[in-house]
Amino acid sequence: MDKSAKPSVKKMSSKEGSTGKSPFRRRPAEKSPKNLTFKKATSGKVVPKSASRPARAAKMPAKGQPKAARPWTAAEVHEAFSRFRRANPEPKGELEHLNPFTLLVAVVLSAQATDAGVNKATRALFAVADTPQQMLALGEERLRDYIKTIGLYRTKAKNVIALSEKLIADFDSEVPRTRAGIESLPGAGRKTANVVLNMAFGEPTMAVDTHVFRVGNRTGLAPGKTPLDVELGLERVIPPEFMLHAHHWLILHGRYTCLARSPRCDVCLINDLCRWPEKTV
């Protein structure tokens, strides 16, 4: 036999033998193209799996993905607000105020604060300053002393003084009766404008705070990703006859019944209409 054809055998070292591992390693398999898997056909040839079956027409929804709630019918919306009206014909906002100016100030101060906390601070404040001129004369430093129990009171004091100056300079010391006019004031946004227009001037606006946002989404009445989405959705579905008081009914419902953590479904006026899948009744 030709010595050149004799296979060579590698001797196993004592280290290799002690581990129990084979000294002969398999040649690593060649990687298949990215995102391409193969199956063996009956002919013995290897073909891509994608070629062995037709492509799906559409992507299937994720497993366990919740279905969208069935929208409320016009009759259901009317029934819900009819119940709210029967239970509370003249709902009132809970921010204490004396006139449109003090209402504006109270709403600006209520951002990220409770109505009860704002009322506690503004009772003494409005006793000494209930006009833009009096507020400006009070000054930012003294104003801070009145509202220091309210969150973000330093920024809010600065805004109240600035909006008082703007009311005097641009609006003849009167709170404007337009959304654009109110939103032009320091510290006042769309929600503030909607509250003031509704409560001070009787406009059928929809102010969406955290309570209204929760109720609109949880019940399925007007689901939306942003407060503006919910606001516009509610305006589309609520009949005009209910719009003047609608935002107060929804705020009070969210504040005292449709609570964030433990909703009181057992006493809810609209629990049979609500689309929330986790109702406790």
Side-chain angles (χ1 to χ4, degrees), residues 42-148:
T42 55
S43 62
K45 295 181 180 180
V46 177
V47 296
K49 278 189 177 181
S50 57
S52 65
R53 63 185 178 188
R56 292 181 180 179
K59 186 177 180 180
M60 299 295 290
K63 186 177 180 180
Q65 182 176 350
K67 295 180 180 179
R70 176 174 57 87
W72 288 49
T73 65
E76 288 174 324
V77 176
H78 192 279
E79 174 62 21
F81 283 92
S82 294
R83 295 178 191 179
F84 287 142
R85 182 168 60 186
R86 285 194 297 270
N88 188 1
E90 294 291 331
K92 302 295 182 184
E94 296 184 335
L95 282 175
E96 298 174 5
H97 60 283
L98 307 173
N99 52 42
F101 172 70
T102 54
L103 173 62
L104 170 65
V105 172
V107 178
V108 169
L109 294 178
S110 71
Q112 300 181 47
T114 64
D115 288 0
V118 172
N119 292 338
K120 185 176 180 181
T122 56
R123 287 176 193 133
L125 171 63
F126 294 158
V128 298
D130 65 356
T131 67
Q133 291 86 352
Q134 291 173 343
M135 194 67 72
L136 200 58
L138 186 66
E140 185 178 333
E141 185 174 349
R142 291 177 60 197
L143 173 57
R144 286 201 299 264
D145 291 336
Y146 281 97
I147 65 171
K148 61 187 177 182

Side-chain angles (χ1 to χ4, degrees), residues 134-177:
Q134 291 173 343
M135 194 67 72
L136 200 58
L138 186 66
E140 185 178 333
E141 185 174 349
R142 291 177 60 197
L143 173 57
R144 286 201 299 264
D145 291 336
Y146 281 97
I147 65 171
K148 61 187 177 182
T149 57
I150 301 174
L152 306 175
Y153 74 96
R154 293 181 183 276
T155 299
K156 291 176 180 178
K158 184 177 296 185
N159 285 335
V160 169
I161 294 300
L163 71 81
S164 298
E165 291 177 333
K166 190 171 180 64
L167 287 174
I168 295 170
D170 298 345
F171 297 101
D172 196 25
S173 300
E174 299 290 333
V175 176
R177 299 181 67 121

